[in-house]
Amino acid sequence: MTNAFELHQGRLPLLVSMPHPGTQLTPEIASGLTTRARRLEDTDWHIPLLYQPIRELGASVLSANYSRYVVDLNRPADDKPLYSTATTGLFPDTFFDGEPLFEAGKAPDDAIKAAILHTVWQPYHQALAQELARLRDTFGYAILWDAHSIKSVVPRLFDGKLPDLNFGTADGASCAPELSTALLACSEAFPHYTKVLNGRFKGGYITRHYGAPQQNIHAIQLEVAQCCYMDETSFAFSEEKSEAFRQLLTSLINTALDWGKQRLSR
């Protein structure tokens, strides 16, 4: 069986969590998917590649290997809904547009789901918690950056075209407000990209569960519109688009790290 995740331990008080770039499937899930679903179109495509410069800066990076069609690592183990609007659950059975992922009668049963929870979901979250604890113990604080991307137009999930940058802080509960303010100010230097804070995407389970400012763990989710760095039809990575976007991304990450240093020195 494929490892549930890849973990690179860095030298900065920053962990970049990537729960949705994986494309591996378990045999039970693969055998039940529709022809369309085998394209894995709802993947957070190329997120590890997009964030490669951030890893090279010294960030820790935790990246999932399995597809969100196997299990959604950004949902709680009890599958309690995170949004009152349309969404997908711990074990997705539809595309983002609402169409079925599985052939009739071939969705995973409870035994298969329990095994996946044990072998895929739990190891990822155990690694995430341990790495956050290591960083906080080492530096006195930790920043958790939950990295996501999505098609810029998904009518079932949101109206119109999604802003390019969708910052989520659980309505301010997952990080110090000064940090989100600094990130928004940083993005003003890149007016080509639109942005919103706690709009349609306020942060999923990872942001909400692990963000604990009172314990010196500050979590931010960034949902990026995929048109910023790739072709949304072919899923091909765009070097030209990504070069410009990486400048913004690097500036955002450095802003977060600078904020952390200043806070620690007070």
Side-chain angles (χ1 to χ4, degrees), residues 70-178:
V70 174
V71 64
D72 192 332
L73 298 170
N74 204 26
R75 299 291 183 270
D78 62 5
D79 206 14
K80 183 178 179 180
L82 297 176
Y83 292 97
S84 59
T85 50
T87 187
T88 52
L90 177 65
F91 294 100
D93 56 8
T94 67
F95 291 92
F96 288 159
D97 66 11
E99 291 296 316
L101 285 176
F102 295 95
E103 300 284 358
K106 293 186 178 181
D109 60 24
D110 288 345
I112 291 172
K113 290 179 180 179
I116 289 171
L117 200 65
H118 178 69
T119 58
V120 180
W121 191 96
Q122 290 179 356
Y124 186 91
H125 283 274
Q126 182 177 23
L128 198 164
Q130 289 176 346
E131 183 62 7
L132 273 181
R134 182 185 78 85
L135 295 179
R136 186 184 58 184
D137 291 347
T138 301
F139 298 99
Y141 73 100
I143 297 172
L144 171 60
W145 190 278
D146 206 41
H148 297 260
S149 73
I150 193 171
K151 294 177 185 177
S152 59
V153 178
V154 186
R156 178 172 172 264
L157 299 187
F158 49 83
D159 295 331
K161 185 176 182 293
L162 192 69
D164 298 319
L165 305 172
N166 300 266
F167 296 100
T169 64
D171 286 327
S174 69
C175 76
E178 297 86 358

Side-chain angles (χ1 to χ4, degrees), residues 198-240:
N198 292 315
R200 172 59 181 85
F201 297 99
K202 300 177 185 293
Y205 174 73
I206 290 172
T207 304
R208 303 183 199 199
H209 180 72
Y210 294 100
Q214 69 280 6
Q215 298 173 26
N216 293 320
I217 296 177
H218 301 269
I220 306 100
Q221 177 178 293
L222 179 60
E223 186 88 54
V224 177
Q226 290 178 342
C227 60
C228 291
Y229 69 92
M230 60 176 275
D231 183 286
E232 295 186 302
T233 301
S234 68
F235 310 145
F237 187 76
S238 170
E239 291 291 348
E240 181 179 359

